[in-house]
Amino acid sequence: MPSSRPTNKQQAPSDGRRQPTQARAQQTIQTLFKAAAQILDKEGEAGLSTNKVAATAGFSIGTLYQYFPSKEMLLRAMSARGQDLVLKELEGYLHELETRADVQDMDGRELLGKAIHILLQGFANGKGLSQTLIRLGWTLEKPDETANAVRQVADRLAVFFERINHPALQSPSNAQMFVLTRSVIGTLRSASLEKSPLLGSPAFEDALTQMAWSLLAQPVASPRSGRVG
């Protein structure tokens, strides 16, 4: 699920426990994440337990609980971390395009396709996160957090389209941006939760790109009537 957090920094858990910020503590957290991911990949959610994660990571269960007092909080932290990285990748892509002098000469559909690809890989297909972990993240999502994150993505994309002023792409209205972002993220969520065999297929990615293109492409003027079609 999308994360509302703009950075990769660890956030304090809801029970008020303080998250360590020292380099050694961060290394411990990453080791725990890696151990949990290995177990998920091999045994699935049913095989995951805090005791097993601690043992695989080479730590005591007490050490794990200093950071994550429950399996659910560990999974939430892993999911948020991965999703923050995806949003950071998307931001990097958009910023790069905004600073390119030749962006208006680039293929508009390809620009949309790359953004769709980043979101697909991060929120459904499994770049940096296994599909199992992504699916668990969706099952543990908090609707308010997801809605806030999607609004942030929509706002950022609106600024992006205005800045690049691409001749083949409209600056979307609020309604168009709402439909676009909710349709894309909702589709990725459903595909992940349903374990759809379409994930990873070019046809699935092409369909999402075509949907975005249909919403955002500049209308083409008819050569006969001079009207837009």
Side-chain angles (χ1 to χ4, degrees):
M1 65 182 175
S3 169
S4 60
R5 293 168 226 187
T7 69
N8 296 335
K9 295 180 181 179
Q10 295 297 321
Q11 303 294 316
S14 59
D15 69 348
R17 297 191 184 196
R18 183 178 180 182
Q19 288 285 300
T21 57
Q22 300 89 344
R24 183 175 179 182
Q26 293 301 317
Q27 182 60 49
T28 298
I29 289 172
Q30 292 307 310
T31 303
L32 291 169
F33 284 175
K34 183 177 180 180
Q38 290 174 347
I39 295 169
L40 281 171
D41 289 341
K42 292 180 180 179
E43 305 179 38
E45 183 184 6
L48 187 70
S49 69
T50 51
N51 283 318
K52 191 175 292 186
V53 171
T56 302
F59 299 125
S60 68
I61 189 64
T63 297
L64 184 149
Y65 285 151
Q66 288 178 17
Y67 301 93
F68 309 107
S70 69
K71 181 175 77 171
E72 178 179 314
M73 292 191 70
L74 170 63
L75 290 172
R76 282 186 182 278
M78 292 175 66
S79 180
R81 170 74 179 208
Q83 290 153 9
D84 284 345
L85 291 175
V86 173
L87 294 179
K88 183 177 180 181
E89 181 180 357
L90 178 64
E91 170 60 30
Y93 171 65
L94 299 179
H95 179 71
E96 178 188 3
L97 290 177
E98 289 171 342
T99 57
R100 287 188 60 156
D102 63 342
V103 65
Q104 294 186 352
D105 299 324
M106 299 173 70
D107 187 287
R109 195 178 190 280
E110 289 185 7
L111 297 185
L112 292 178
K114 177 63 182 296
I116 292 292
H117 180 76
I118 292 172
L119 294 174
L120 172 61
Q121 289 293 98
F123 295 137
N125 208 33
K127 179 181 180 180
L129 298 173
S130 69
Q131 288 189 8
T132 300
L133 180 55
I134 292 174
R135 188 162 54 251
L136 285 173
W138 284 118
T139 64
L140 296 170
E141 73 171 316
K142 294 183 178 180
D144 289 346
E145 290 184 359
T146 299
N148 183 56
V150 177
R151 282 193 295 268
Q152 290 184 40
V153 172
D155 290 345
R156 180 62 181 92
L157 287 173
V159 171
F160 165 74
F161 287 117
E162 183 177 350
R163 285 177 177 173
I164 66 170
N165 192 27
H166 196 283
L169 296 169
Q170 304 181 60
S171 291
S173 66
N174 290 337
Q176 288 173 318
M177 186 57 69
F178 185 97
V179 170
L180 174 63
T181 52
R182 275 62 173 187
S183 297
V184 171
I185 298 300
T187 298
L188 297 180
R189 179 184 184 278
S190 295
S192 178
L193 290 173
E194 295 173 23
K195 304 180 183 180
S196 174
L198 290 171
L199 286 176
S201 70
F204 184 70
E205 187 168 333
D206 288 346
L208 285 171
T209 301
Q210 181 57 41
M211 178 186 65
W213 177 247
S214 298
L215 273 171
L216 300 179
Q218 287 281 10
V220 179
S222 169
R224 291 185 177 180
S225 65
R227 297 177 181 178
V228 294

